Amino acid sequence: MESQKRNNSKESISTFKDALFVDKEAVFALLLCQEGLLAPVSHLMNEEEMQEVDATGLYKGQSFPFSFILAPSGRRNTIVLKNAKKGNVITLVCEGNVCGELVVDSTFKIDKQQRLFKIMSGDIYSQKAQDIYRRLGDYAICGKYCLFLENTRFDFMCHIGKQTILQTKKNIQAENITAMVLDASPVTRIHERIFRLVLDESDLLVLMLLRHRDEGLLDFHIRKTCLQNVIDNYLPTNRILIFPLDDIYLFAGAHGIILDAILAQNLGCDRIVIGENHPNLTIYYDNQKIYSIFDTIKDIKIHVKLLHEFVYCSQCSTIVSLKTCPHGNHHHIHYHSGLLQGILQAGLIPPTILMRKEVSAKILSYLYPKRFSPLLKQFGAMFANNGMIEKQDDEDFYLKLINLYQTHSLK
């Protein structure tokens, strides 16, 4: 579709008669499709395609859990969609800024309840399901679209996409590429252990780091910063890439794990790593054989590797797999993100068997900025140094403090 890029300022929006107001989740979903990361889906589906995919769970012979449509809510959007004619150019607006254009092919009414049921795999009463229902409109629109995403958060994702991975693959002559979806809230020693395990068997690891709508204690920036720090200092940097993945409604239900696999496949990966305790894996037994949701898919050519849970064992004095450790659960320390976040939120330093001290220092200085400002003046007197006067910050203070905690000659 040929279109002329328009002014992205908020003042220009009032000049557009026909505009659809969409949220970031919709923009990110459209971007994934535009970049070819949801293939074989390559466009917004029309009514006939929607009905076929929702009925069969297939698109062009490949598993695709539900139809790919655009149905934004809101009174103004409903009016625009009801009045739209084939060939009309619709402006797409997100958070007050023009983000794209769409040439109308058709509009059609949808069943919101059925749509929600498909997305959430039947779980329509949770809070997440209700949030999705509120953002669904009564009408959908299809047609060719083009996004304008320069100088936005989505522009970054455009450049850390398939081409970057393919170029890296070429540079290091990688034959095997593994993907892994993670939250890293926070990144722990277990993550490192898994990264190393994967890199033993793969040439390149793509970390699809989730970016949540409601970030909670640790936002995407600090999580990515800590993850990148671990990669830069303790892992082969040229063999790991971070791909920002918005945790949008498409991935909300049990079938979201299938879309993870489709996305990984379209990023050029031939394997995806998933923990056995993943809530959407749906493991079951039949005739003494183990199956998962991936045994129901068709024509998604990516190998799924299941990982056992790792813990720290006080008897083994190291990180072990639950499958190989001979000691009881009472000897195990589990790496629950909620527990670690609770320790950090209390302003405490987690044990280094759980997290690297550099990660703890970055997070605590982020959560409690200028916490040690009065003490920094006494920095030189409190800690041993190389005799040089250097500017110190809260992160340096935490690192020095942790080092003192690790002094073993005095009990």
Side-chain angles (χ1 to χ4, degrees):
M1 178 182 69
E2 295 184 7
S3 62
Q4 184 175 1
K5 182 179 175 182
R6 301 194 181 188
N7 182 4
N8 258 13
S9 68
K10 293 184 179 181
E11 289 76 18
S12 66
I13 294 169
S14 60
T15 65
F16 298 119
K17 179 181 177 182
D18 295 326
L20 281 180
F21 292 83
V22 296
D23 56 23
K24 289 180 179 178
E25 291 195 49
V27 174
F28 192 80
L30 291 171
L31 177 60
L32 290 177
C33 183
Q34 180 174 282
E35 295 293 302
L37 298 180
L38 296 180
V41 174
S42 59
H43 60 275
L44 289 169
M45 295 179 180
N46 58 33
E47 186 174 14
E48 182 180 349
E49 290 173 318
M50 176 191 73
Q51 292 173 347
E52 180 181 352
V53 173
D54 286 343
T56 65
L58 297 172
Y59 181 72
K60 292 186 176 180
Q62 177 183 298
S63 290
F64 205 87
F66 46 82
S67 55
F68 185 74
I69 61 174
L70 178 62
S73 63
R75 185 179 61 85
R76 181 171 176 176
N77 283 340
T78 300
I79 294 173
V80 170
L81 290 173
K82 289 176 72 173
N83 294 328
K85 305 297 182 185
K86 186 170 183 175
N88 287 168
V89 177
I90 302 291
T91 302
L92 302 177
V93 179
C94 179
E95 294 190 343
N97 294 300
V98 174
C99 62
E101 286 181 343
L102 184 151
V103 177
V104 180
D105 181 70
S106 65
T107 60
F108 49 94
K109 193 171 179 60
I110 69 167
D111 185 331
K112 292 170 55 176
Q113 193 76 10
Q114 183 184 39
R115 174 73 174 165
L116 181 67
F117 190 89
K118 284 289 182 182
I119 293 174
M120 296 303 296
S121 309
D123 177 23
I124 62 174
Y125 299 107
S126 65
Q127 183 59 53
K128 181 179 287 188
Q130 296 309 306
D131 291 341
I132 294 174
Y133 188 80
R134 280 191 290 271
R135 66 183 300 281
L136 284 174
D138 294 308
Y139 291 86
I141 186 171
C142 75
K144 292 183 179 180
Y145 66 88
C146 179
L147 298 176
F148 311 141
L149 302 176
E150 290 80 1
N151 302 316
T152 69
R153 59 179 285 195
F154 301 103
D155 183 44
F156 172 72
M157 202 231 64
C158 283
H159 293 94
I160 310 296
K162 188 172 183 177
Q163 294 306 314
T164 302
I165 295 171
L166 291 177
Q167 186 60 50
T168 303
K169 178 181 179 180
K170 181 179 179 181
N171 292 342
I172 66 173
Q173 297 183 334
E175 295 183 1
N176 303 305
I177 305 178
T178 298
M180 176 180 173
V181 179
L182 74 164
D183 186 82
S185 183
V187 58
T188 68
R189 298 277 190 172
I190 294 294
H191 288 106
E192 277 190 64
R193 177 63 179 270
I194 294 173
F195 298 161
R196 296 178 194 279
L197 186 66
V198 171
L199 288 171
D200 277 340
E201 302 176 349
S202 298
D203 301 315
L204 182 63
L205 173 59
V206 178
L207 299 176
M208 298 193 283
L209 183 62
L210 292 172
R211 178 162 41 194
H212 304 290
R213 191 178 208 180
D214 300 314
E215 285 285 13
L217 183 69
L218 304 178
D219 64 22
F220 178 81
H221 172 74
I222 187 62
R223 289 186 289 116
K224 181 178 181 296
T225 298
C226 292
L227 181 58
Q228 191 65 59
N229 178 266
V230 170
I231 293 171
D232 290 342
N233 291 286
Y234 303 105
L235 295 163
T237 309
N238 66 325
R239 294 176 57 200
I240 304 181
L241 291 174
I242 299 176
F243 177 85
L245 177 61
D246 276 34
D247 190 18
I248 57 177
Y249 73 96
L250 288 180
F251 302 91
H255 288 115
I257 197 170
I258 295 179
L259 288 175
D260 289 338
I262 292 173
L263 175 59
Q265 178 176 275
N266 287 314
L267 283 171
C269 303
D270 49 42
R271 178 183 298 185
I272 185 169
V273 171
I274 296 172
E276 280 187 341
N277 57 353
H278 193 293
N280 293 337
L281 193 54
T282 319
I283 288 181
Y284 61 95
Y285 292 87
D286 186 23
N287 293 326
Q288 298 183 335
K289 199 173 180 183
I290 189 170
Y291 296 91
S292 76
I293 193 171
F294 286 103
D295 291 296
T296 67
I297 63 177
K298 182 180 179 182
D299 232 26
I300 298 178
K301 299 177 178 65
I302 189 167
H303 176 69
V304 180
K305 180 178 177 60
L306 299 183
L307 285 179
H308 304 293
E309 183 180 357
F310 288 94
V311 296
Y312 180 87
C313 176
S314 60
Q315 294 297 299
C316 297
S317 298
T318 189
I319 295 173
V320 295
S321 164
L322 285 180
K323 189 175 181 180
T324 60
C325 181
H327 305 113
N329 188 59
H330 55 288
H331 291 297
H332 295 160
I333 297 175
H334 295 262
Y335 288 65
H336 295 307
S337 61
L339 171 63
L340 290 171
Q341 286 189 23
I343 295 173
L344 292 165
Q345 193 168 25
L348 302 176
I349 300 170
T352 52
I353 63 168
L354 301 178
M355 291 170 53
R356 284 197 178 271
K357 60 184 179 181
E358 293 84 357
V359 174
S360 298
K362 284 185 179 298
I363 293 176
L364 287 170
S365 59
Y366 162 79
L367 293 176
Y368 301 99
K370 300 182 179 179
R371 185 184 189 186
F372 296 122
S373 294
L375 292 176
L376 288 178
K377 297 176 183 178
Q378 306 174 48
F379 194 97
M382 294 178 64
F383 304 113
N385 57 66
N386 58 11
M388 302 294 291
I389 299 177
E390 299 177 354
K391 185 178 179 181
Q392 308 292 345
D393 57 20
D394 279 18
E395 191 173 326
D396 298 315
F397 191 96
Y398 282 114
L399 288 172
K400 291 286 188 179
L401 195 60
I402 295 170
N403 286 338
L404 285 185
Y405 283 143
Q406 293 178 315
T407 300
H408 299 294
S409 60
L410 298 176
K411 301 294 185 181

